[in-house]
Amino acid sequence: RYRQMLNPFFNMRTVATMEDSIRALARELIAAFPASGVFDVAAAFTLPLPRRVGFRMLSFPEERTAEVSELVEAVMSNVAERQGAAAPRLFEVLSEILAERRTQPRRDDLLDTVVFGEVDGVPVDEKQSFAMLILLLMGGLSTTSAALAVMIEWLADHPEDVRRLREHPELHNLAVDEFVRYSSPVAHIGRTVMADTEVEGCPLPKGSRVLLGFGSANRDDRVFQRPDEVLIGRQPNKHVGFGIGPHRCIGSHVAKLQIKVALEELLAAMPPFRVHDHGQTHWVGSESRMIDRLMLAVEPVR
């Protein structure tokens, strides 16, 4: 019922209208890359692109986006922060943003729907608004950043795939799904068993908690040939990188568009590049995981 309220902002037709603005943003960020030398592509591209797209979709106040980004990343990447300073501060900031929007004229945008929406004809309350907003932020910012960074890392290590993707643009859509499978930004997620059942001989009583390993599922060698490699033309590709069933990621079309646009713009603009030092690559994660530092070396164009 909540998805039905939010779906108009995330369906394929609506998301398609965002392509030009996402492409312009990707080009702006790539244009700021150094012409040669070493730089952190996470800080320069894979982190800011999804953040700016997400905050634009939510019509967030510009002066709030930097702090919200830092707090969401802290809570997403460090379980201890959920009991520390970051989670209460995030709650406070988001509550202020929601309260401020309630006092403003209606805009009928995504944030308005979060604030003023109705479920079964009943207006959502403050708790429901907050829950929807935190889910949109946590589900949309770090996860797309994760897929982008893993994509760039793979391409930096496999120039033959860069050449193939430049020569065969018809493979781009397949490559996007493959990078989502390979990166599996949401590595695992908790669920509650709704009825007594059994999996592989293990009894699961109703009401027990289970941890679903989406990352492991996407490397299942019974389903995927050479699962620990990126095969950019992989078909079929029945990955669960966006989840599966009624709780499948509502923002999957937005994520795939960002990854595809990023891939196309990087292929078009980037000179030869490689990972400068894998030892400096830094991963963070809990339920989701991502690279928040990836040092690339760019070769000067001769």
Side-chain angles (χ1 to χ4, degrees), residues 1-226:
R1 297 192 300 271
Y2 289 90
R3 290 176 72 101
Q4 288 174 355
M5 182 172 65
L6 298 172
N7 271 337
F9 298 94
F10 293 96
N11 63 40
M12 289 185 70
R13 183 177 299 177
T14 301
V15 171
T17 66
M18 299 166 55
E19 180 171 348
D20 288 346
S21 63
I22 293 174
R23 195 172 297 279
L25 177 54
R27 288 176 177 173
E28 174 192 329
L29 294 171
I30 292 170
F33 290 2
S36 63
V38 176
F39 74 106
D40 181 3
V41 74
F45 188 74
T46 66
L47 292 173
L49 179 66
R51 288 174 180 173
R52 289 175 64 176
V53 171
F55 288 131
R56 185 180 293 168
M57 287 187 71
L58 283 163
S59 308
F60 255 41
E62 182 67 31
E63 68 275 10
R64 296 283 199 158
T65 58
E67 183 180 16
V68 172
S69 290
E70 292 172 6
L71 292 170
V72 168
E73 186 173 330
V75 171
M76 288 287 285
S77 63
N78 186 346
V79 175
E81 285 292 355
R82 298 172 195 182
Q83 307 300 324
R89 178 57 183 162
L90 180 61
F91 184 95
E92 180 182 12
V93 172
L94 295 183
S95 296
E96 290 171 358
I97 291 170
L98 290 170
E100 184 178 312
R101 177 54 75 95
R102 289 188 186 96
T103 68
Q104 297 174 349
R106 293 289 295 269
R107 307 182 200 176
D108 296 324
D109 57 9
L110 176 57
L111 190 56
D112 258 11
T113 302
V114 169
V115 172
F116 300 111
E118 295 182 355
V119 176
D120 294 338
V122 179
V124 296
D125 59 27
E126 293 183 17
K127 194 177 198 179
Q128 292 166 316
S129 292
F130 181 85
M132 282 190 285
L133 181 56
I134 200 75
L135 186 59
L136 289 171
L137 288 169
M138 291 191 169
L141 302 187
S142 299
T143 51
T144 307
S145 292
L148 288 171
V150 170
M151 176 182 77
I152 292 173
E153 181 185 46
W154 178 271
L155 294 176
D157 289 338
H158 297 84
E160 69 280 6
D161 280 343
V162 174
R163 287 193 296 271
R164 189 177 174 202
L165 286 166
R166 280 178 171 148
E167 293 168 1
H168 297 280
E170 70 275 9
L171 294 176
H172 291 183
N173 286 329
L174 296 177
V176 168
D177 266 312
E178 177 66 345
F179 284 121
V180 172
R181 179 200 70 83
Y182 180 73
S183 60
S184 292
V186 179
H188 53 266
I189 196 165
R191 286 287 182 256
T192 301
V193 179
M194 300 304 291
D196 291 342
T197 188
E198 184 177 289
V199 175
E200 302 270 342
C202 177
L204 299 176
K206 178 181 178 179
S208 57
R209 292 288 286 172
V210 295
L211 201 62
L212 301 183
F214 290 114
S216 294
N218 280 334
R219 300 293 183 95
D220 188 343
D221 60 11
R222 296 169 299 179
V223 178
F224 302 102
Q225 180 186 16
R226 294 158 60 189

Side-chain angles (χ1 to χ4, degrees), residues 230-266:
V230 170
L231 305 181
I232 56 176
R234 188 185 295 275
Q235 280 185 296
N237 193 349
K238 296 182 179 181
H239 67 80
V240 290
F242 292 116
I244 194 168
H247 296 287
R248 188 179 189 274
C249 174
I250 194 172
S252 60
H253 297 310
V254 182
K256 289 175 72 169
L257 179 60
Q258 289 184 70
I259 297 166
K260 183 183 179 184
V261 167
L263 175 62
E264 291 172 348
E265 295 302 323
L266 289 165

